[in-house]
Amino acid sequence: LHLLTTLLVFGFTREILTILSDDKALSTRASLLAAMVFGVHPVLSEAVNSVFNGSEIYVTLGAVGGLWYLLRNHAEHPVRSWLVLGLIYFVALLFRESAVSIPLLAVIAIWFTSRERWMVRVRQCLPVLLLTIPLTIYMGMRSEALEGPAQLAGGAGPENIQLRSEIQTEANQVTSEQNSEARVPVKAAAPDMKVKPGEKTSRNILDEYGLSFGPKRVSLAGSMWFDALRLMVWPHPLTVFREVTSTNFWLALAAQSLLLTFAFFAALRGRPGFIAGLALFYAAILPSSRIISESFLPPLLLDRMLYLPSLGLVICLACGLTWLMARFPQKFILSGTTVALLALVSLTWARNDAWSDEVKLLEGDFRKVPDHAQLLYSLVRTNMRSGNPQRSMELCRKRPDLARQAGYIIMECGNAFATGRKYDSAETYYLQAIQKDPSLAWAHFHLARMLLHMGRSSDAQEHFETAVNKEKKPFVREYMTAVMLIELYPNDPQRLARARTHLENALRLQPR
C-alpha cells in the first residue's frame, strides 16, 4: 500500500510540475527523486508499521489518486471528474477523518495549476461545493453511529436515568446488606451537579459540544506546524508519543513567515510550485491541528499526522530539485540526493525493526525521551501484558516524578505491583491515584479486587461501591456492579443471576 501511494505521489507531483513547467523530462526526474524521498522517509514508518494508523495510507491513496484524476480531467469532463472525487472523498472519510481536507486540497491544486484569470479559476473551483453532499452524508452516519456511545457517557435521557437508578439501588442494596452485618454506617452517594432553572452560565456554542478555541490553541498549532516541518527535514527524535510542543511561538512564526515569503516571491517570478506545495501541506495538516477541539486535547504532533501533509512537501522538494537541475550539473544533484536517500533508508530500517516488537519500540522511545509521562504509562502497561511485571515495577520506582503526573499512571503502577504480588506497595499506589484524581473510578475498582484477594472483604466492598458511584458511563457501571456481585458473593445463586443480568445490560448498551 505504501509503495502504491508512493507511485501515486510520483504521478501527481509530475502532473503538477509538468503543468507548471515546459520541461517534461526534467519534471519527471525531479518528481521521481522527490517521491523516492517520500517512499523511504522514516517519519512515515508509523503509518506503514501500525495497523491502526494504516488508515492514513488509505486516506492518502484516495486523496492523491482523486486529485490526480481531477487535474487531468476537470477541464474536459468537469462533471465526471468532480463526481469521481466526491465518491473517493466519501470512501476516504470512512477510513479516517483526516480526509476532511480533500475539498480544500482540490481547490488548491486547481487554483495554482490554472493559468486563467482569477474569476475563471473561481468558476473552475465552484463545483467543490458538491463535496458537501458526501460530507453531510458522512456526518449524519457518524452522528447516528455515535449516538449510543454519546448517551452512554452519562446523558440525561430517560433510559439512562432509569439505569443509573437501578445500578445505584443495586450498589446501595449490597452496601446495606454488608454494612448491616458489619454495623458500619452507609455512605451517601454524592448528588449530581445540575444547573438550576434560570441560572446564567458562560457557556457558548462550542462549550455545548465540549469544544474549545482560543489564541493559546492557535499559537500551539503554529508551533506544531513548525515542528512538523523541522521533523520532515531532520527526522529526530522518532517517537510514538510526543509532548505538547515547547517551541517558542514567535520563533515558529518568524521561520514560517520567511518560508512563505520565499514561496510567494518565487510565485511572482513564475514558480508557483513552492507556494502550492506549502498550501497543500498546511491544508492537509489543519484537521489534525486541534485548533477547535476538546479542551483537554491540546494541539499535538504525531508521526502518522504527517503522511498526507508530506505530499505538499514532496511538491516543494520536486520544485527545488527542478530549479537546481536547471542550473547545476544533474549528476551532482543526483549524487547528493542519493546520499540523502541512503541516510533516510538507514533510519527507516532501524525504525521498522523497532516497530517489530512493542516492548522494543517503547523502550527505545523512552531512552530517547525519558521525561515523557505517556511513554512511561504505555511502557508499564506493555511490560505487564508481556509477562514482565518486574520491569514495570522497576520503571515506577525509578521515575516516581513521571508516575505522579496523572492518576491513571499511578493506577497503572498499582496494577503492576498487584500483578507482582507486592500488595502493600500496590495499595499505596492505588490510594495515591485516588488522591491525585478522585474521579478515577477504575482505581477504586482495581483496589477493591486486590483487597478482596487479600481477604479484606469489608474494605473491598467499600471501594467497589465507590467505583460504581463514581463511574459515569452506564455500561461500565453495569459491568462493575456485576463484578462486585460475582466477587463478593461467589456462592449466592440469586446474586449471580443478578450479575448475569447486569452483564447482559452492559452488552446491550455497548455491544463491543
Side-chain angles (χ1 to χ4, degrees), residues 193-213:
M193 298 298 293
K194 295 182 180 179
V195 179
K196 297 178 181 179
E199 182 178 344
K200 292 184 178 180
T201 65
S202 59
R203 296 170 64 85
N204 55 35
I205 190 169
L206 290 178
D207 293 330
E208 294 296 327
Y209 292 94
L211 301 177
S212 176
F213 172 76

Side-chain angles (χ1 to χ4, degrees), residues 402-425:
L402 286 183
R404 294 194 188 101
Q405 287 189 18
Y408 68 91
I409 303 178
I410 307 174
M411 180 186 72
E412 202 60 48
C413 287
N415 291 339
F417 279 89
T419 304
R421 300 180 183 276
K422 306 291 184 181
Y423 297 129
D424 290 339
S425 298

Side-chain angles (χ1 to χ4, degrees), residues 197-250:
E199 182 178 344
K200 292 184 178 180
T201 65
S202 59
R203 296 170 64 85
N204 55 35
I205 190 169
L206 290 178
D207 293 330
E208 294 296 327
Y209 292 94
L211 301 177
S212 176
F213 172 76
K216 181 64 175 176
R217 301 189 75 85
V218 175
S219 64
L220 283 173
S223 299
M224 185 267 280
W225 296 335
F226 173 80
D227 292 343
L229 291 167
R230 179 194 57 77
L231 194 62
M232 292 301 296
V233 175
W234 187 259
H236 179 81
L238 296 170
T239 62
V240 176
F241 303 108
R242 301 182 189 279
E243 291 283 9
V244 177
T245 179
S246 58
T247 303
N248 182 275
F249 170 69
W250 298 108

Side-chain angles (χ1 to χ4, degrees), residues 50-170:
S50 167
V51 173
F52 172 75
N53 297 310
S55 53
E56 292 288 356
I57 300 181
Y58 288 101
V59 168
T60 306
L61 274 171
V64 180
L67 293 174
W68 188 9
Y69 181 84
L70 181 70
L71 275 186
R72 291 187 70 100
N73 296 281
H74 78 94
E76 297 180 0
H77 307 285
V79 175
R80 184 180 69 187
S81 302
W82 285 103
L83 285 176
V84 170
L85 182 63
L87 179 60
I88 292 174
Y89 181 41
F90 177 71
V91 174
L93 282 170
L94 297 178
F95 279 100
R96 208 179 191 104
E97 290 186 352
S98 56
V100 74
S101 62
I102 288 179
L104 185 54
L105 300 180
V107 170
I108 292 170
I110 291 177
W111 186 274
F112 286 103
T113 56
S114 177
R115 298 184 181 181
E116 303 290 344
R117 293 177 293 107
W118 71 271
M119 281 298 296
V120 177
R121 297 186 191 187
V122 169
R123 287 198 297 270
Q124 290 176 334
C125 295
L126 274 179
V128 75
L129 297 176
L130 294 173
L131 298 189
T132 58
I133 298 174
L135 179 61
T136 302
I137 296 173
Y138 167 75
M139 293 303 293
M141 293 172 61
R142 183 183 186 276
S143 175
E144 183 70 22
L146 295 182
E147 183 177 352
Q151 291 176 350
L152 298 183
E159 184 182 14
N160 282 333
I161 293 174
Q162 182 180 356
L163 278 170
R164 284 199 293 271
S165 176
E166 291 174 356
I167 297 170
Q168 188 61 59
T169 301
E170 187 77 70

